[in-house]
Amino acid sequence: MNREIPGAQLRAWTLAAAAGPILSIIGRNGWMTVLIVAVAAGALSFCVLSCKRIKPPRWLCVVELVWLAVFLGKIGKISGTCWNGDALLAIPVIMIFLGAFASRRGGVPAARTGATLVWVVIPVLAIVAIAGVADVNTSWIRMEVEIPDSLLIGLLLVPCLCTFLPAEPNTGMRWSAALLGVIAVIAALLVDGTVGGDVAARAENSFYELSKSINLFGVAERFEALIACMLTGSWFALFTLILSAGYHLLEDLLPVAGKYGIWLVATVGVIFMYLLPNDRGWIAVGTLIFWGFLPVVTQGVVSAKNMQKK
């Protein structure tokens, strides 16, 4: 069996995993703020993804696994914002453990799931977005630059997770990171122009709110259930991506640990979902450190040591 994820599958998986979550929270900032964050995140992703994948030292495996569980817990509650009642927390828990099940054999089989989802999730979300263009009111679009939402920074750096996955070389992931930035800016303009900047900023799920105000193919029906399913599918792809990275970090830490340890990571993530405070201000700092700074520095240190040995 191929031990590396094909480049096309990895790009599709990353797109499916990041697009829906970004659309869900994009209304919290205006398009100019999103543009600045997207450019900065794209530049950092370019640097991280330019590094050759190495076997990380054990200390890095441990700290990255802890951060993955924390990040999983923080995004868990947000992933259920397009559902009501008991489903608000039940669905994220179910998706996390289904993600662990999909990732129990590593990133190669999990990538097939994510790559399949992209052909369902992205076309439907794109059709809804295109249908909303006709309702855009340019006077509602926010033009000011503000403090960016911390979670937006974390989601735009999701491609950096691929450094922990066994992928084929030259996968073109750097261009996938750029594509996510473009999607984020367009979505920010669309959400503001359709539902209004003030409403989008207060909405728990801005793209879900957008779906309530559009007519699809001239039919005045409400498509919230369809959009909720597509966004949930995208969140599931993100959970599988995170847990697959956790699987391979566990394997680097201790061979054969991934198959069983991944359930521990998922369980800790669910516990964090209930215990961690709702404040998200530090997510950006953690993501920048654990997905940006540490992988690049570790790569530099290991490369320097290899040069000295030669």
Side-chain angles (χ1 to χ4, degrees):
M1 184 179 68
N2 188 9
R3 303 292 296 179
E4 292 184 332
I5 303 172
Q9 284 189 3
L10 188 60
R11 290 191 295 271
W13 187 13
T14 306
L15 180 60
I22 287 173
L23 292 177
S24 298
I25 57 99
I26 199 64
R28 292 169 184 169
N29 289 120
W31 75 273
M32 293 187 68
T33 304
V34 174
L35 176 62
I36 294 170
V37 172
V39 171
L44 179 57
S45 298
F46 187 91
C47 294
V48 174
L49 294 170
S50 296
C51 296
K52 182 181 179 181
R53 188 183 190 276
I54 60 172
K55 183 177 180 179
R58 291 194 171 188
W59 67 267
L60 183 61
C61 292
V62 173
V63 297
E64 292 289 353
L65 284 166
V66 172
W67 175 248
L68 287 179
V70 171
F71 191 79
L72 200 62
K74 292 303 295 181
I75 66 174
K77 288 182 181 178
I78 304 168
S79 66
T81 51
C82 50
W83 302 97
N84 298 317
D86 295 336
L88 182 63
L89 287 179
I91 287 180
V93 172
I94 294 171
M95 285 197 298
I96 288 174
F97 283 112
L98 284 176
F101 181 79
S103 308
R104 74 194 187 284
R105 294 180 181 173
V108 176
R112 300 191 193 106
T113 303
T116 302
L117 279 171
V118 77
W119 297 107
V120 180
V121 172
I122 299 303
V124 174
L125 295 180
I127 290 171
V128 172
I130 292 170
V133 172
D135 298 326
V136 169
N137 185 335
T138 55
S139 63
W140 291 352
I141 298 176
R142 290 169 287 178
M143 301 301 294
E144 65 274 9
V145 177
E146 55 211 341
I147 298 175
D149 183 80
S150 184
L151 183 58
L152 176 63
I153 298 173
L155 292 174
L156 285 172
L157 290 175
V158 161
C160 295
L161 268 176
C162 298
T163 58
F164 303 121
L165 295 170
E168 292 178 352
N170 301 320
T171 57
M173 283 304 303
R174 289 170 290 186
W175 298 111
S176 296
L179 178 60
L180 286 177
V182 172
I183 291 173
V185 174
I186 294 174
L189 287 166
L190 180 63
V191 168
D192 267 14
T194 305
V195 303
D198 293 336
V199 175
R202 294 193 303 268
E204 288 187 328
N205 193 313
S206 50
F207 196 80
Y208 182 69
E209 289 297 320
L210 179 149
S211 69
K212 296 179 180 179
S213 61
I214 64 171
N215 295 330
L216 197 58
F217 304 122
V219 180
E221 296 288 344
R222 301 180 70 173
F223 294 92
E224 296 96 314
L226 176 63
I227 300 306
C229 290
M230 295 302 103
L231 293 175
T232 300
S234 189
W235 282 104
F236 170 72
L238 179 57
F239 292 149
T240 62
L241 185 64
I242 292 172
L243 290 165
S244 294
Y247 172 93
H248 290 285
L249 286 167
L250 285 164
E251 290 287 302
D252 289 332
L253 181 64
L254 183 66
V256 196
K259 183 177 180 180
Y260 304 102
I262 197 64
W263 296 103
L264 177 60
V265 175
T267 302
V268 174
V270 169
I271 293 172
F272 282 159
M273 189 175 73
Y274 288 95
L275 295 183
L276 291 176
N278 290 328
D279 177 36
R280 300 197 305 272
W282 45 272
I283 291 181
V285 176
T287 307
L288 289 168
I289 292 173
F290 295 108
W291 294 354
F293 178 74
L294 286 180
V296 173
V297 170
T298 304
Q299 169 69 22
V301 171
V302 171
S303 298
K305 288 183 177 180
N306 290 337
M307 290 291 291
Q308 289 177 356
K309 289 179 181 179
K310 293 180 180 179

